[in-house]
Amino acid sequence: MAETNLFHFGKSSSPYETIARSDFLNHKWQDRSSVNNVNQLEMIAGSFLKPSTLTEVKEGLKKVGMSVRINPYIMEMIEWDRFETDPIRRQFLPMLSEIEPDHPAMTIDSLGERETSPVPNLVHRYPDKVLFLVTSVCPVYCQFCTRSYAVGQDTETVKKDNVSSPKYWDDAIEYIRSHPVIEDVVVSGGDIARLKPAMIKKIGTALLDIEHVRRIRFATKALSVQPMKFFSDENWFRTIVDVANYGRALFKNVYIHSHFNHPNEVTPLVELAMRRLHAEGIYVRNQTVLLRGVNDDPGTLIKLNKKLGRVNIQPYYVYACDMVKSIEHFRVPVQEIQYLEREIRGATAGFNTPLFVVDAPGGGGKRDVHSFEYQNEEYGIIGYRSPCIDPLKTYYYFDPLRSLTADIQKEWLKPGGHEAILAELGLGNLMRLAAE
Ligand SMILES: *Cc1c(COP(=O)(O)O)cnc(C)c1O
Ligand code: SF4
């Protein structure tokens, strides 16, 4: 592998031209050098941007639910001469002109995670699996984060719940221990890349020591946004390997779940990280969020899955963007998601072809995008049932307003319009019937 490929991605000009390779490949330097606000962005990349573009970002940031954190690795990945359309930039830096008015059904916690939380930090929605939220910080912040109610710093529009704190971990672990039905634990956040090795060991061994827990997954975006973490933070890496080995000795699975959205993110550094994990027998599955202007075309998705497959990362899910406030511009209509799925299935091995899912608003869980039982194309409403969670209920997802006619958009946005439409379509009844 050519050395230059690991650094600057072979670019001729870069905001980090003068940075030593040893710094760039060090996770600590990456953390220390992160861009956390517009002033820092201006200082580091100002010369790559038109003043009007910088203003666009500044004004955009006032409207969104996520704060900014971008490390130099991601800054390098952005193609600054096509800032407006760059798929990496779009995920991490908002621009005022691209933000769209929210669909009235958008909420701050679309999946109802806070309602299905029996103890702090734990979501128990499905019968035999739980989501354990161990931290609310990440190496970078994604503008489309599902958990913007908790993750990252406060913004002008969202004050964060402080949901993840080690003081609650014991209660969560105790809850899992006292519920033998739970076999599967997703350890997520936030990002476990922000946990100290001792904390990972504590959580990992405590969970694996519970007899009925058969599998755990560590969710981390570090593999895609800070791959150097897997070779410059030896202690952290070894701890994950130790927990995986401990699990293996108990005939249990410890996997990593990653979050790659675009083929440009699968870099030679990612391959290096994967070579280490692979050598240790640790498997990685990937979850992609389908994002308009980032990966909503068949060619990009096929390329992403093939590149992931090449480095032994298994594409697992592609999620419809959740109905979280201020991310309307990222959403794609359900019919288009179904089209994308049909286009990509068959392009590579079936086991490297992800399932396209809608995480049903209101806590229905992940549903195959094709498995809907109600559809109204005119109003952009799609209904899924989820018998394992609630056999009587139908859960609705709503297409982005931009995909509807101007008249129907107006109807949705009128005060009280949302309720009127549902009543008119008999969906108020449908939901009431379902609850009886
Ligand atoms: C996604 C999720 C899980 C895991 O679901 P899988 O389909 O097995 O990946 C568990 N609990 C919650 C609350 C989730 O959102
Ligand atoms: S890495 Fe995950 S939890 Fe963190 S900001 Fe991105 S989507 Fe949210």
Side-chain angles (χ1 to χ4, degrees), residues 111 113 116 123-126 129-131 147 184 186 217 257 287 316-317 319 359 365-366:
L111 305 181
E113 290 185 338
T116 42
V123 183
H124 190 184
R125 168 181 309 143
Y126 294 100
K129 47 189 180 183
V130 290
L131 172 62
R147 232 159 261 134
D184 195 306
V186 182
R217 341 170 187 173
H257 276 209
Q287 312 195 140
Y316 176 39
Y317 281 143
Y319 289 95
D359 209 340
K366 299 161 187 68

Side-chain angles (χ1 to χ4, degrees), residues 11-24:
K11 280 185 186 163
S12 51
S13 70
S14 141
Y16 301 96
E17 234 154 25
T18 58
I19 301 303
R21 177 185 154 87
S22 55
D23 279 341
F24 197 85

